Amino acid sequence: MKKIIALSCLTAMLLAGCGPKNGDSSSKTSQEETTAAAQSTEAETTTAEATTEASATEATTVETTEPSVTTHDGNVSAGGIMDMYPAIYQGFIKAEFEKVAAANDGTASIEYAFRDLDADGIPELIFKRGTCEADFAVNVFTIDSEGEIKDLGLIGGGHTTFCYDENTGDFVMQWAHMGAGCFEYFKMVNGAVTKAQDTYEYNIGQDESYDDICKAKGIRTIYPYVTSYRSSLNGGIVSYFVTGPDEMEEKDGLYLDYMG
């Protein structure tokens, strides 16, 4: 009997030693859950950081690719004068014609042409005005950066023609009267019209003409040009738009449609 009891106790002890321990199982489960939770939190954190980084990169990309706006005040200003100069010259020519007429009982005569002497894209106005060959004055006018008319100086008077040298491009004033003549050459330098070379003087020889001298020297008349006149207060203004030798159109009134 004692042997049976002893064997029973031994068996119970062995079974107890071989079976799982409640404390160990609970600890292992807790550790596994903690590790899984940590891994899950780490994964979420990594995902959030990646999302944040992607958003920041996208924002940076959008900001970088946004077009920039650059303004060029100088070009805008030049463009404005380019658009405005015809109206400025029209107003000036009209005012000068009326000024001459007012001082001479309605009689007035003008002639004008254009040539871009400083190659800035805006032509200078070569302007003759008075009542007749005896009192004509020829000036060159330009428009400054503020849109104001600037007088570049008196360069001639009566019996003159607006020309240019086909060899150099220089602006030339031709004076011709009663068999004599001369060519005066001009350039625009530093905002001023100055003599480009010595004046060429000549006399018409036998069987020669003014056209022969001009052709020999390479001097050509500037076309087109406009000439207008009125003979009295009650008379109308007549204009001629001259486009070439013996080529002209008669216009009623002060013709201001041609502005270079």
Side-chain angles (χ1 to χ4, degrees), residues 68-89:
S68 59
V69 179
T70 303
T71 58
H72 301 282
D73 293 338
N75 292 339
V76 170
S77 177
I81 296 298
M82 184 69 72
D83 293 335
M84 291 166 55
Y85 87 80
I88 296 172
Y89 278 143

Side-chain angles (χ1 to χ4, degrees), residues 225 240-244 246-250:
Y225 67 87
Y240 293 93
F241 181 47
V242 185
T243 56
D246 303 319
E247 297 176 4
M248 64 179 68
E249 299 175 39
E250 184 174 338

